[in-house]
Amino acid sequence: MAKVVTFGEVMLRLAPPEYLRVVQTELFEATYGGAECNVAVSLANYGIDAAFVTRLPKNNIGDAAINACRRYGVDTSLIVRGGERVGIYYCEKGASVRPSKVTYDRAHSSISTAKVGDIDWDKAFDGAEWFHFTGITPALSDDVAELTLEGCKKAKEKGLMVSCDLNFRKKLWSKEKACAVMSELMKYVDVCIANEEDADDVFGIKAPATDITKGELDREGYKYVAKTLAERFDFKYVAITLRESISASDNNWSAMLYDGSDFMFSKKYALRIVDRVGGGDSFGGGLIYGLISGMSAKDSLEFAVAASALKHTIHGDMNQVSVDEVKTLMGGDASGRVQR
Amino acid sequence: MAKVVTFGEVMLRLAPPEYLRVVQTELFEATYGGAECNVAVSLANYGIDAAFVTRLPKNNIGDAAINACRRYGVDTSLIVRGGERVGIYYCEKGASVRPSKVTYDRAHSSISTAKVGDIDWDKAFDGAEWFHFTGITPALSDDVAELTLEGCKKAKEKGLMVSCDLNFRKKLWSKEKACAVMSELMKYVDVCIANEEDADDVFGIKAPATDITKGELDREGYKYVAKTLAERFDFKYVAITLRESISASDNNWSAMLYDGSDFMFSKKYALRIVDRVGGGDSFGGGLIYGLISGMSAKDSLEFAVAASALKHTIHGDMNQVSVDEVKTLMGGDASGRVQR
Amino acid sequence: MAKVVTFGEVMLRLAPPEYLRVVQTELFEATYGGAECNVAVSLANYGIDAAFVTRLPKNNIGDAAINACRRYGVDTSLIVRGGERVGIYYCEKGASVRPSKVTYDRAHSSISTAKVGDIDWDKAFDGAEWFHFTGITPALSDDVAELTLEGCKKAKEKGLMVSCDLNFRKKLWSKEKACAVMSELMKYVDVCIANEEDADDVFGIKAPATDITKGELDREGYKYVAKTLAERFDFKYVAITLRESISASDNNWSAMLYDGSDFMFSKKYALRIVDRVGGGDSFGGGLIYGLISGMSAKDSLEFAVAASALKHTIHGDMNQVSVDEVKTLMGGDASGRVQR
Amino acid sequence: MAKVVTFGEVMLRLAPPEYLRVVQTELFEATYGGAECNVAVSLANYGIDAAFVTRLPKNNIGDAAINACRRYGVDTSLIVRGGERVGIYYCEKGASVRPSKVTYDRAHSSISTAKVGDIDWDKAFDGAEWFHFTGITPALSDDVAELTLEGCKKAKEKGLMVSCDLNFRKKLWSKEKACAVMSELMKYVDVCIANEEDADDVFGIKAPATDITKGELDREGYKYVAKTLAERFDFKYVAITLRESISASDNNWSAMLYDGSDFMFSKKYALRIVDRVGGGDSFGGGLIYGLISGMSAKDSLEFAVAASALKHTIHGDMNQVSVDEVKTLMGGDASGRVQR
Amino acid sequence: MAKVVTFGEVMLRLAPPEYLRVVQTELFEATYGGAECNVAVSLANYGIDAAFVTRLPKNNIGDAAINACRRYGVDTSLIVRGGERVGIYYCEKGASVRPSKVTYDRAHSSISTAKVGDIDWDKAFDGAEWFHFTGITPALSDDVAELTLEGCKKAKEKGLMVSCDLNFRKKLWSKEKACAVMSELMKYVDVCIANEEDADDVFGIKAPATDITKGELDREGYKYVAKTLAERFDFKYVAITLRESISASDNNWSAMLYDGSDFMFSKKYALRIVDRVGGGDSFGGGLIYGLISGMSAKDSLEFAVAASALKHTIHGDMNQVSVDEVKTLMGGDASGRVQR
Amino acid sequence: MAKVVTFGEVMLRLAPPEYLRVVQTELFEATYGGAECNVAVSLANYGIDAAFVTRLPKNNIGDAAINACRRYGVDTSLIVRGGERVGIYYCEKGASVRPSKVTYDRAHSSISTAKVGDIDWDKAFDGAEWFHFTGITPALSDDVAELTLEGCKKAKEKGLMVSCDLNFRKKLWSKEKACAVMSELMKYVDVCIANEEDADDVFGIKAPATDITKGELDREGYKYVAKTLAERFDFKYVAITLRESISASDNNWSAMLYDGSDFMFSKKYALRIVDRVGGGDSFGGGLIYGLISGMSAKDSLEFAVAASALKHTIHGDMNQVSVDEVKTLMGGDASGRVQR
């Protein structure tokens, strides 16, 4: 069984039930999630030996975050305890013309105050084949950026594949800072994942003439972006997720993959959304699974898109689907007939 | 007031709230349902004197199953107590590209271990006009198949109309076994109800060239199926429900009825699904109501389709709508305007 | 900060969770709402100094109704205590082909038994610029109709703008009675709001040849209605909300505004409905906000329609959106992309 | 199987979850209950054929009230439909030094506006052995008092035993009115049930020198009360429930029974309270069961006290315990050991 | 109507339902509370014009905190918006031998980063008679300590009574720091409230020979403490709450008041605990109410103790009881009999 | 870190919320538990490397049971997949005079149909120090008894300590059968745990003259039982838990331990019960922890009793407390003061 290590933050997600707003609720649904942690859960659900590395405080909220990961089969033995708090995000689920609204309360979290030396990368990568992080992790603080760089170097040293989802977060850092830090990290990355805006936000690589709020996507533009990214950073694969937002309730979802020679476009799914958060992460989890388990590039892409299409129907950040379920959808059955 | 007797299993349905999966939930919504029991509830809601016959254990779960039926007006005085357990099914509600998933835990239930002699059919049919069962009941065990046959014979003896919904369940028996047992039972049946796959699964009668996962249905094919069924078993009526599954959230729903001379096709409803389970049963309940209350065949069909269209918006297996509500929809008002 | 006074009834709304019917539920979600109270909440959320005038009993249910209003920033200091009970309405949320169903239990409420003299209009209107009521208030009883008339007269005396949403409720009074009472009140009204049926129900002014259950609306017809209304009662503005009910889950929503010279038609929104109750009230709140805060008539209309489009995604009667959120939608972004 | 008919009101009970107050809650637990209805449920749970007679509106709230009764096995076929509304009571559960608080909203209910002629007593009493009502029923209105009297007369005519729980409610009528009406009705009553205050409130019969808020009860005083009642109205049995309120969470509970010759005092139970409402009704149900099923007077008393002790641990107005469970407690096992 | 101003922090309280631990829960009950805010709510419930001063971020969590206060009648118009976050505390409710457990996540909250100049004390105290704060407020940061001092000085200047609950929190500051800061603030305080440990923790004033975990309290010792406090800081009143913790479920509760001449001891209440948090704050609210509304010192003490006894039965930090309810308990009725 | 292996069944526990009965509920709280699994969770919470061995079906219910164990840190890698179903038990929580009621639906579970050969004991015991099972496991079926015996033999071979909680379940087997099977297994057991009835039920060893329903326990009798057990089976330790059931809400709890020479009696705790199920298992977990971590016999006993006292305050079968929390209680602080 292959071993994948992911590194980043897991937050407590506080969401009012159903479509309530924060000002209306007397209850928060409490789940845990974070980009890299979500990828680890996806992989564990596919039978991959997935470990998640982070730093969490020595208190009951830190314990609960760990429990949430190991409940779904993730190896949490590498998690370091210390620091002040578990980061939080409040999530109001949108519907129709009202967008979902995320309010972050993540500053001062234990991982954001981690320092180089807190993670024993040698131990973490022992027996591992793949290292995954996203652009959120180095954005947490300069120290964490350094720590990420250290992880990348060690991963390359030990011959691991390295993947990164650009995941630009404007609340965490500026485009300029992101560009500087990420450009350095990209030297160690083999597989780059981005959504339709990230390449522009982080590296100023822009698909010309696309208005994403209208939900029209430009194939040629994305080819250009993928090719530019691949050439600039010498990536083996560039994957771009393509979301057409019709409303907060309805999205079209597909992706493209560029392997240095071919541009592959996946099937497009018309989705009714149950929970959109973690959609990109579930794509990453699916793509890593496909590539690490020996699927072709095209099949890996289709697996990743089908997996993330399913994620949009799953409550919480973490995708909860099996390889069989993904393959059934990927194989063409989107009819939703009851499985008895 | 006409009296209808239905015979079969009522199970405890355990469903995670909203769209949660079983691995995520800490709560199950507990309702009770089963094909024949659901038909009885539909009829009771329409003012028909409906009795449900089954066998339930002498414990508090058995009590709760009975309470669920009589709460909605079903006569439960014929239910026999004994045996080991109430059958269970776990039901994950699907959405969009993710299908609903049913996990059965129904083996060894009290009704599945019932024997000939456990039911006093004479008493059950006293004053009754109609007997209804489905293909699930004889599939429970050889003994229950025998018991069903006994019921059918007694019903015919006493001049009752007999209806059967084919309801093939591949987890309960093979197609071969189903064909053998059901062919014998069909001799006593006047009204046969099937969905678009049952006739093929049970009797090998196939609508040619239809790919049901694509949601395209072939009118001519279904005429062929209905006619073949009617001729083979000498049915008075054959009804076929026609579901076009666009996704787990959206279905088109209609039906046809063949009365030996005419092929009637109902209106088609485009449905947003709240709870799809029991959709077929509510059609059966509506059809029996139409026929027993003296509606024309066409009106009975339209009543049944409108009733089952409404069922798709009702939580739980049991349809909870009134004759007036069905007639309003059947009469053309599907606008969903608030009724004050 | 402008001050707006609204006058009417606030009821306890008892709604089964999700899509349950009253006969199925063991729980009621308890919120409070009423046409004029909902308008006050909308305005308070936009930063307007909004006061709601009503009469509530001296008991804990009356307390809870007051708390619900002041929680959202409404000035409740003018509310009079006395009388017997808080009116109730039971609300079953519809879906797809099943309409929402409202069962009123509002007779004998404290406000419906209020008398002239119970409200100190001088105090209520001190410093106020605008007075709003709807056709529900005078329908509660002859005494309350008198009280409303008194309020209208006093408001005009003091130079307030007066707006009225016709809001015809056939369970409360006949069309004839409504016409007589409302015609008198309209003499004092500057801004008249109506849905596509009210003008006909209350004043017999009919948009010819429109079948609203089919969801087709006739622009010319509504111009005719607006113009007729404006001329008959000398209104400054007539606003008509235009709802196309595709189903209980999907509506198209737009409005027109007539300012005595121009007929303005707003953008039309295709809505997935979370909670449709209070949709009209949120339009009224948006329109008053636009006009009182100095927007142009066209912008006021677009603000009102966008605000009420958002309301359809908000649980409960009361709209819970900010000016910024309305303006974002009004400005064209209906894509529902996550706001981080 | 003996048949018992009870007559009175069933209300919707709206209770905030756990120990929340009405001003804090966003949810009401919705159950149905009423003194006579609760007695009928107790009896049905003991296997008695129990019918409940009342009047309920023709709407979904009326339907739900009926469903609540028949769910627990009560015959609801005698219930008359008509009138305006289902009465409501709001119930805040107390704890420790804070008493439970009931806010009634029961005026204008369908049963309170019933008239002589609305109930077909001949049909109701067909095959019946026992008629039960409480002092709440005639307090609802003069018409209902008349209707109750008619019922009593008819019951006596047909040879039924008649029982009445005095159940004085000061919000419904004055002591003077109660005395006048109840004195007339008592002529037809065989079994009189009262708590430690009722005899004084209704008939001015007072146990001297007892301060009930101190939880000290005076055996001699209650003998005096029972004897006085029995002699004044020629009762066969007088039962008095004896509650010592230590706090809203802890009560001691016992009762006495006077059969015209002996004064029997039951065991006393020290109770932790889950839900105290319906405690007296469950005593009535237990006593009727004991007497109608042929137990000795002393055993009937002990059965009634044990049944009502158990009721204090049951959520909702209606007692949900079996004959076996009552007998186990009555037999001395109050240890609360897990029953596996 | 008297006006009271309180100053401090309001936090989001996240509590697992019932007795669940944080590691078990998927839901948090979300309420808001804080020592000074709780006092303001108590006072508003008693009809006092109570304003709460704090600093909250400009986001939806800040909005929700404000709504929670104004829902219960507190004037929130003085609250300043700015800063980073709403402080949080996680609260596991204990039972029996397991204590309640509070995990703070309050660092970096908007109020803790407030500076002198952020509050307009002149405006805040306009028309006010009383200023209240607790030892938690100056412990938040040096800046907030300064701000508190500024408030105290201004309050004295304007002739307000000033009260302070010592409320020592060892997670926020050391005993030494507390002593230094609080000693300065005490110069402006008229009414000092403490629990049985605070005087020792903050000022090193110790009741000799008392072991509080055994629940035995020493009257003479507390007299000594009160007298020493009063003399050192020239307080008008010193109140000490006396809690005997039998277990997390059962406490005895009483208090003493020293007015410079007499030592008054209140009645003692044996409490079953629903929610113990906010018990001390409700005492403070009751005491201020008593003194400001002209009760005698002894009555004020009894009112405060009865109010806080009731608080232990109320869910959430904020006491939700009326003057009448407190007076009934204070008057001697602790029997918990249902109030109808 | 020591490694402990436990072997047995994990069931789905379906419990109505709060104190509802099964016939009243529409919701089941779904947790997972079983005697040996509960012990493993206790140990994992204390930092012990605990593995649980069982057999679970290859479906989502089986997955959920595994997730429940690994969430709390138990090693589930030894769990075998196969068989038909996850066993279920329905659990009504009792209160006061009403006992908790357990309805089993565990027949035909995957573990009960396991065969010798299904478990690889060599692998399971690799690196382990301790093997624990209870009397429930061999009672599941003859095959499982055989499998248990195989485990015991292998454990002894490999030098593990073996502990067994007698845990007699009369619904699973007769006393005669239990005696025969358990006597054979006891040959391999070092530590025997029993409650006050087990030794009599399984081996006919009786503490004379004790009436456990009265809650009086006889020290001398239990010494006799422990000594007899130890001598008959050559146990190193015999522990007996001593429960005095005052009611379903209140129990006294203590235990004794016999080490072949001394009889040690623990402190006794007076408990208010939140959830009593799993009380004995948490004692076992505590005792194993004490002994394996090098505590003295007396300290191990006190640790076990304090741990299980805390368990009575924890919802669900599994104890959720830390070593520190147990030690605090064991050290004498049962005051329940809030831990901040």
Side-chain angles (χ1 to χ4, degrees), chain C residues 110-128:
Chain C
S110 289
I111 179 64
S112 74
T113 57
K115 304 259 178 277
V116 168
D118 279 349
I119 314 282
D120 180 345
W121 290 113
D122 269 312
K123 188 175 155 206
F125 292 146
D126 185 40

Side-chain angles (χ1 to χ4, degrees), chain D residues 180-258:
Chain D
V181 172
M182 292 294 280
S183 292
E184 180 63 19
L185 289 166
M186 288 309 103
K187 296 177 185 164
Y188 307 89
V189 168
D190 304 291
V191 181
C192 175
I193 302 167
N195 69 21
E196 65 279 23
E197 293 174 313
D198 287 332
D200 181 16
D201 287 337
V202 181
F203 300 118
I205 301 170
K206 194 166 195 159
T210 301
D211 180 351
I212 59 115
T213 65
K214 292 234 182 56
E216 289 160 16
L217 294 162
D218 181 354
R219 284 193 164 217
E220 289 314 306
Y222 287 111
K223 288 184 186 173
Y224 167 84
V225 169
K227 198 156 190 294
T228 309
L229 277 169
E231 285 171 4
R232 187 179 304 175
F233 298 111
D234 199 24
F235 295 136
K236 285 198 186 64
Y237 295 97
V238 176
I240 303 185
T241 55
L242 305 172
R243 181 184 300 278
E244 296 169 16
S245 283
I246 297 159
S247 75
S249 304
D250 291 84
N251 279 191
N252 293 328
W253 179 252
S254 63
M256 66 154 288
L257 183 67
Y258 175 59

Side-chain angles (χ1 to χ4, degrees), chain B residues 251-320:
Chain B
N251 280 192
N252 293 329
W253 179 253
S254 62
M256 67 154 287
L257 182 67
Y258 175 58
D259 64 359
S261 54
D262 290 331
F263 298 98
M264 293 155 267
F265 282 86
S266 77
K267 269 191 279 193
K268 184 193 286 190
Y269 296 93
L271 302 174
R272 294 276 167 99
I273 291 176
V274 169
D275 190 338
R276 184 220 159 299
V277 181
D281 308 328
S282 62
F283 177 86
L287 188 68
I288 296 171
Y289 177 73
L291 295 173
I292 213 170
S293 67
M295 289 183 188
S296 72
K298 183 63 165 74
D299 283 355
S300 298
L301 173 68
E302 292 292 356
F303 187 91
V305 172
S308 48
L310 286 166
K311 167 59 197 75
H312 289 78
T313 73
I314 300 289
H315 181 76
D317 283 38
M318 298 168 173
N319 201 10
Q320 298 293 355

